[in-house]
């Protein structure tokens, strides 16, 4: 058994409340001493991660939807997009993507709650953004992805620039969500049979792309990464055999980025409370100053399950780590949010 301590908690992003103010109030009340940052819960059109981007992209001149029949999901049409015939991707101007507008609106709520003493003074406002690769690989027709990637990357960089220009750097934390990267690294294909990627060496290409996004974040702003194996219907798109790919990818990203990560979040499947799963984390090579969060809290088995996974992790890790869920829980069953917060509080010490 190592002498590592379980300290702190992290909220990945989406939370099953109706609005940002409720999310922030309850998170501060339940977990205030455990959290270094609080998100807005990805409420409204962001409820299902990136799927709202299909409507944003589909509104651009020169972009068409794939298929004639909308695919509805609540207020969204989640059909993918493609370049219209004869249109060059470089000639497309994308409309605002919605991330900056949502962040600025939620920041006003966060700032007001902090001024009122509801949110602790040192807590930062967390904004979660997808990697450009995630959006392009998920929502753009395979034949158009390579040409469309720089167009979307520029548009998302503009959203980030607006966020950091509006929210004070010492109040802000940016999280990059990397999920499609692991579909690619695991060799999965889309339901169409197409591969997600349009490039060769998948390890170098995916890690270098994420490092580029990390380095866009100004140094006075915290930056973290959430590595993800998906969460559709609370299930991974593939169950990782162990933490080897998570570790290899995290090491590659950390080596490629010019700035250090403030935090790193890794998922832990509910079935895994064995040291074999955590074993590869002994090779994790990120700075000691980078906070490590393990997504080992699950609503189905609460404190008991989290405690078993913590015991296995401490057999391997010689560094302190915090706890989290394996992904956001904005789509978890109603009434499960506060119990999840209570589990975090029961198994981790405050900072």
């Amino acid at each position: 058994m190592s002498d590592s301590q379980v300290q702190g908690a992290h909220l990945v992003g989406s939370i099953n409340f109706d609005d940002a103010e409720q999310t922030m109030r309850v998170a501060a009340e339940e977990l205030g001493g455990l959290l270094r940052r609080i998100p807005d819960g990805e409420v409204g059109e962001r409820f299902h991660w990136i799927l709202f981007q299909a409507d944003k992209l589909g509104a651009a001149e020169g972009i068409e939807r794939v298929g004639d029949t909308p695919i509805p999901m609540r207020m969204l049409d989640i059909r993918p997009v493609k370049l219209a015939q004869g249109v060059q991707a470089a000639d497309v101007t994308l409309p605002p993507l919605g991330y900056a507008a949502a962040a600025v609106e939620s920041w006003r709520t966060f700032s007001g709650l902090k001024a009122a003493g509801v949110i602790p003074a040192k807590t930062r406002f967390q904004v979660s953004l997808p990697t450009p690769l995630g959006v392009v690989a998920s929502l753009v027709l395979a034949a158009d992805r390579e040409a469309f990637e720089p167009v979307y990357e520029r548009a998302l960089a503009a959203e980030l620039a607006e966020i950091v220009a509006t929210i004070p750097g010492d109040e802000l934390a940016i999280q990059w969500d990397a999920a499609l990267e692991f579909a690619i690294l695991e060799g999965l294909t889309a339901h169409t049979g197409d591969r997600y990627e349009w490039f060769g060496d998948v390890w170098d290409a995916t890690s270098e792309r994420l490092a580029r996004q990390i380095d866009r974040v100004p140094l006075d702003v915290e930056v973290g990464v959430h590595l993800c194996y998906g969460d559709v219907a609370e299930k991974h798109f593939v169950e990782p055999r162990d933490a080897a790919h998570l570790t290899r990818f995290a090491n590659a990203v950390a080596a490629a980025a010019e700035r250090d990560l403030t935090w790193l979040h890794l998922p832990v499947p509910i079935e895994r409370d064995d040291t074999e799963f955590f074993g590869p984390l002994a090779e994790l090579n990120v700075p000691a100053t980078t906070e490590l969060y393990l997504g080992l809290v699950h609503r189905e088995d609460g404190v008991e399950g989290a405690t078993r996974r913590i015991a296995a992790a401490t057999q391997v890790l010689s560094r302190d780590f915090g706890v989290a869920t394996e992904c956001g829980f904005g789509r978890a069953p109603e009434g499960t949010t506060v119990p999840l917060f209570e589990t975090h509080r029961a198994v981790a010490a405050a900072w």
Side-chain angles (χ1 to χ4, degrees):
M1 181 75 68
S2 76
D3 59 357
S4 60
Q5 301 295 311
V6 182
Q7 185 175 48
H10 179 66
L11 298 176
V12 174
S14 66
I15 296 172
N16 194 7
F17 285 133
D18 292 334
D19 58 66
E21 180 170 350
Q22 182 184 16
T23 298
M24 295 171 188
R25 281 185 178 275
V26 178
E29 178 182 353
E30 296 286 337
L31 298 174
L34 292 173
L35 298 174
R36 286 187 162 172
R37 48 201 74 89
I38 293 177
D40 70 356
E42 299 178 12
V43 294
E45 65 181 1
R46 294 171 294 144
F47 76 96
H48 208 295
W49 194 41
I50 61 173
L51 292 186
F52 79 107
Q53 288 294 280
D55 282 333
K56 302 294 186 184
L57 301 180
E61 186 175 351
I63 299 293
E64 296 177 350
R65 306 306 285 268
V66 176
D68 297 326
T69 304
I71 303 175
M73 180 177 284
R74 286 171 56 178
M75 76 288 282
L76 307 176
D77 175 4
I78 63 173
R79 280 179 296 166
V81 301
K82 63 180 180 179
L83 295 170
Q85 187 172 2
V87 173
Q88 300 297 310
D91 296 330
V92 172
T93 299
L94 297 180
L97 302 178
Y99 289 108
V104 170
E105 180 180 357
S106 292
W107 158 248
R108 296 191 185 104
T109 301
F110 181 94
S111 183
L113 291 173
K114 180 178 277 194
V118 175
I119 293 175
K122 293 184 178 180
T123 306
R124 292 191 182 221
F125 175 54
Q126 178 182 318
V127 176
S128 298
L129 298 173
T131 61
L133 171 60
V135 174
V136 174
S138 299
L139 300 177
V140 176
L141 190 70
D144 293 335
R145 288 173 191 162
E146 182 174 9
F148 197 82
E149 181 186 20
V151 178
Y152 187 83
E153 187 167 350
R154 284 193 297 271
L156 189 59
E159 298 280 312
L160 174 63
E162 183 177 344
I163 291 167
V164 301
T166 305
I167 301 173
D170 60 0
E171 294 276 354
L172 181 61
I174 299 293
Q175 175 175 280
W176 294 104
D177 296 338
L180 264 292
E181 287 79 355
F182 284 90
I184 291 169
L185 296 175
E186 295 286 355
L188 300 186
T189 56
H191 70 279
T192 59
D194 295 309
R195 299 191 68 83
Y196 288 108
E197 71 272 18
W198 51 93
F199 38 76
D201 187 324
V202 293
W203 285 96
D204 284 348
T206 54
S207 59
E208 288 171 1
R209 280 168 165 80
L210 179 51
R212 189 162 68 233
Q213 308 318 312
I214 292 167
D215 289 338
R216 292 188 191 278
V217 180
L219 291 177
D220 61 336
V221 177
E222 292 184 341
V223 64
V225 171
H226 156 52
L227 304 187
C228 185
Y229 270 81
D231 186 43
V232 176
E234 297 186 285
K235 291 188 179 297
H236 291 155
F237 46 69
V238 64
E239 292 298 342
R241 181 180 66 255
D242 54 29
H245 282 181
L246 293 163
T247 301
R248 179 181 174 184
F249 185 70
N251 288 347
V253 170
E258 294 184 4
R259 64 166 294 178
D260 289 344
L261 286 171
T262 312
W263 77 91
L264 170 67
H265 169 273
L266 308 175
V268 179
I270 191 170
E271 297 86 0
R272 303 305 295 271
D273 56 8
D274 54 288
T275 55
E276 287 75 16
F277 177 83
F278 295 98
L281 291 179
E283 304 302 320
L284 186 64
N285 186 25
V286 297
T289 54
T290 298
E291 301 162 30
L292 174 64
Y293 294 97
L294 299 183
L296 50 72
V297 173
H298 293 267
R299 66 175 181 82
E300 294 91 342
D301 60 10
V303 173
E304 188 273 332
T307 301
R308 283 189 282 105
R309 294 179 202 101
I310 288 169
T314 55
Q315 293 285 343
V316 173
L317 290 167
S318 59
R319 61 185 292 160
D320 294 347
F321 61 91
V323 299
T325 50
E326 61 185 350
C327 194
F329 45 93
R331 297 170 296 281
E334 186 175 354
T336 59
T337 298
V338 170
L340 276 168
F341 286 169
E342 291 171 345
T343 299
H344 287 74
R345 194 171 66 241
V347 299
W351 291 102

